[in-house]
């Protein structure tokens, strides 16, 4: 489902790389005529050629992703090309180069997959991904993604509001925060066994409960109408579009509810550079670069495609109330 104008802010098409092939493909899906495009769609060819997806990905998930609610209403988004979305990533479990995730992530086994729920909630335990997803309706949402490194994309995610999963967990009144943990499997994730790694695995991120319950906060299991490629966080990841991308943790295996603020990976490594809140803010620079503008992908040396950064990544109307009274230069 495309985010409606009355609920979410969407960037004008002038800011974003055109992707008319995919738009036509989704429109044909709405009209029940997707088969007319399948053989000729370059986007489909890119998806089929992708080597990052785990070949053991379950058919049930592919079916559920394929049945996601398509966007409704007039499309205002042009999209970052699929090969940029899947080929340019930070996923240090596979290496520090932007191409490492796409190069190595095919080794990751994503089926079977389970998520452990713990902490201040009534419904704790380890749950098969299929059971968790059986209780939700997937939909398509087009979101901006803004990296703390000052590059950005626009991505059509397939997922469901995190609030729906939280309600399944039944957190109690002491649950003020929710933390997420990424898979730790060094045999399949070469970055975790690198002698140069500075991260204390597993990777951990967290949100305040009101942030987690906001309707924008998404649990994604697909993009571009297909299951998530491994390099993009298969089989399930978080997407928090008003925060810098490192908050949108990938390949989640644990969710923990707590009364106190969780210690999170990048905030522990460099607290002066990566705050717990990590809200996109053009007025608060990273110590080593400006955040006033961003490089919208695709870009090049001769065509940098720089655009101004928007407060809360353009979602100010939907989330600014969460931080009323807070000094966002201190709580960065």
């Amino acid at each position: 489902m495309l985010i409606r104008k009355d609920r979410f802010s969407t960037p004008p098409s002038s800011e974003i790389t055109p992707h008319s092939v995919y738009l036509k493909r989704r429109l044909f899906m709405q009209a029940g005529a997707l088969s007319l495009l399948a053989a000729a769609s370059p986007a489909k060819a890119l998806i089929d050629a992708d080597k990052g997806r785990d070949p053991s990905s379950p058919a049930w998930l592919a079916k559920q992703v394929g049945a996601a609610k398509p966007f409704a209403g007039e499309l205002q988004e042009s999209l970052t090309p699929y090969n940029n979305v899947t080929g340019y990533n930070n996923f240090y479990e596979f290496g520090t180069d932007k191409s490492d995730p796409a190069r190595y992530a095919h080794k990751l086994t994503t089926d079977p997959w389970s998520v452990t729920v713990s902490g201040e909630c009534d419904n704790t335990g380890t749950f098969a991904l299929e059971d968790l997803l059986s209780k939700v309706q997937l939909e398509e949402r087009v979101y901006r993604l803004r990296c703390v490194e000052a590059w950005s994309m626009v991505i059509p995610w397939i997922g469901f509001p995190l609030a729906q999963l939280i309600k399944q967990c039944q957190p109690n009144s002491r649950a003020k925060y929710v933390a997420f943990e990424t898979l730790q499997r060094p045999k399949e994730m070469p970055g975790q066994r690198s002698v140069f790694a500075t991260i204390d695995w597993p990777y951990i991120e967290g949100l305040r409960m009101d942030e987690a319950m906001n309707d924008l906060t998404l649990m994604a299991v697909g993009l571009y109408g297909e299951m998530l490629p491994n390099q993009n966080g298969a089989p399930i990841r978080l997407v928090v579009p008003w925060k810098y991308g490192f908050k949108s943790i990938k390949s989640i295996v644990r969710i923990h509810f707590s009364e106190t603020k969780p210690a999170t990976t990048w905030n522990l490594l460099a607290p002066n550079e990566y705050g717990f809140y990590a809200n996109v803010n053009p007025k608060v620079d990273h110590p080593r670069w400006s955040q006033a503008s961003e490089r919208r992908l695709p870009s090049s040396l001769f065509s940098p495609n720089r655009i101004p950064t928007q407060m809360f990544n353009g979602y100010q109307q939907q989330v600014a109330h969460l931080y009323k009274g807070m000094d966002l230069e201190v709580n960065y």
Side-chain angles (χ1 to χ4, degrees):
M1 180 178 72
L2 179 68
I3 293 45
R4 296 193 297 269
K5 294 181 186 178
D6 60 337
R7 293 175 62 206
F8 305 112
S9 170
T10 55
S13 58
S14 60
E15 294 183 4
I16 306 164
T17 305
H19 206 315
S20 59
V21 171
Y22 179 72
L23 308 187
K24 291 177 182 177
R25 177 171 175 263
R26 297 299 286 170
L27 289 171
F28 269 79
M29 285 179 68
Q30 287 178 278
L34 177 61
S35 60
L36 298 177
L37 282 184
S41 169
K44 176 67 173 170
L46 280 169
I47 291 170
D48 289 343
D50 173 53
K51 302 302 182 185
R53 186 179 295 107
D54 173 21
S56 68
S57 295
W60 67 263
L61 181 54
K63 182 178 180 180
Q64 190 169 355
V65 168
K69 294 180 181 178
F71 58 76
E74 180 183 358
L75 183 71
Q76 294 186 329
E77 304 277 349
S78 298
L79 307 175
T80 302
Y82 181 88
N83 59 332
N84 291 106
V85 173
T86 59
Y88 192 91
N89 289 295
N90 284 326
F91 199 170
Y92 288 172
E93 283 81 352
F94 295 103
T96 57
D97 190 87
K98 294 293 188 292
S99 62
D100 283 345
R103 182 177 296 117
Y104 299 117
H106 66 278
K107 299 176 182 179
L108 180 65
T109 302
T110 59
D111 182 44
W113 194 271
S114 60
V115 177
T116 298
V117 177
S118 60
E120 300 291 351
C121 62
D122 295 335
N123 193 15
T124 60
T126 298
F127 304 92
L129 182 62
E130 185 173 7
D131 293 336
L132 293 176
L133 294 186
S134 68
K135 300 177 178 65
V136 301
Q137 170 63 59
L138 301 183
E139 59 187 56
E140 179 175 82
R141 293 189 178 186
V142 177
Y143 281 165
R144 299 178 185 90
L145 173 69
R146 171 60 156 82
C147 182
V148 72
E149 298 169 343
W151 53 265
S152 64
M153 299 181 181
V154 177
I155 301 172
W157 300 103
I158 301 292
F160 61 95
L162 172 60
Q164 294 182 14
L165 181 55
I166 289 176
K167 290 174 183 176
Q168 290 184 43
C169 300
Q170 301 175 27
N172 60 43
S173 60
R174 293 184 297 276
K176 309 299 183 186
Y177 295 87
V178 56
F180 307 86
E181 184 178 306
T182 294
L183 176 73
Q184 185 174 6
R185 192 180 292 163
K187 289 184 178 180
E188 298 181 1
M189 300 173 120
Q192 290 181 340
R193 60 179 187 264
S194 170
V195 296
F196 301 105
T198 58
I199 291 175
D200 184 14
W201 312 108
Y203 189 91
I204 295 173
E205 259 307 336
L207 298 171
R208 220 169 51 193
M209 280 295 292
D210 56 349
E211 297 176 314
M213 294 296 291
N214 187 278
D215 191 49
L216 280 175
T217 308
L218 197 71
M219 293 294 277
V221 294
L223 56 79
Y224 270 103
E226 301 283 336
M227 289 185 296
L228 279 175
N230 286 3
Q231 63 263 34
N232 291 93
I236 187 167
R237 64 168 289 167
L238 184 68
V239 180
V240 192
W242 72 92
K243 294 180 179 288
Y244 292 120
F246 68 87
K247 296 294 289 189
S248 295
I249 185 170
K250 303 176 178 76
S251 301
I252 294 169
V253 295
R254 181 180 293 273
I255 298 173
H256 181 78
F257 296 90
S258 65
E259 191 170 8
T260 57
K261 185 169 68 175
T264 57
T265 296
W266 282 110
N267 187 231
L268 284 172
L269 283 172
N272 65 317
E273 297 187 9
Y274 307 103
F276 174 81
Y277 287 98
N279 292 319
V280 176
N281 189 341
K283 298 179 182 179
V284 178
D285 291 336
H286 187 280
R288 289 178 280 136
W289 56 78
S290 169
Q291 296 288 22
S293 67
E294 63 201 61
R295 180 170 54 92
R296 175 62 53 79
L297 297 181
S299 68
S300 67
L301 178 64
F302 299 104
S303 181
N305 198 21
R306 296 205 71 87
I307 60 174
T309 293
Q310 300 181 63
M311 186 65 193
F312 295 113
N313 206 23
Y315 301 100
Q316 187 166 1
Q317 183 178 352
Q318 293 77 38
V319 301
H321 67 278
L322 299 174
Y323 311 101
K324 187 176 181 180
M326 292 178 63
D327 185 339
L328 298 182
E329 293 189 13
V330 175
N331 299 287
Y332 57 90

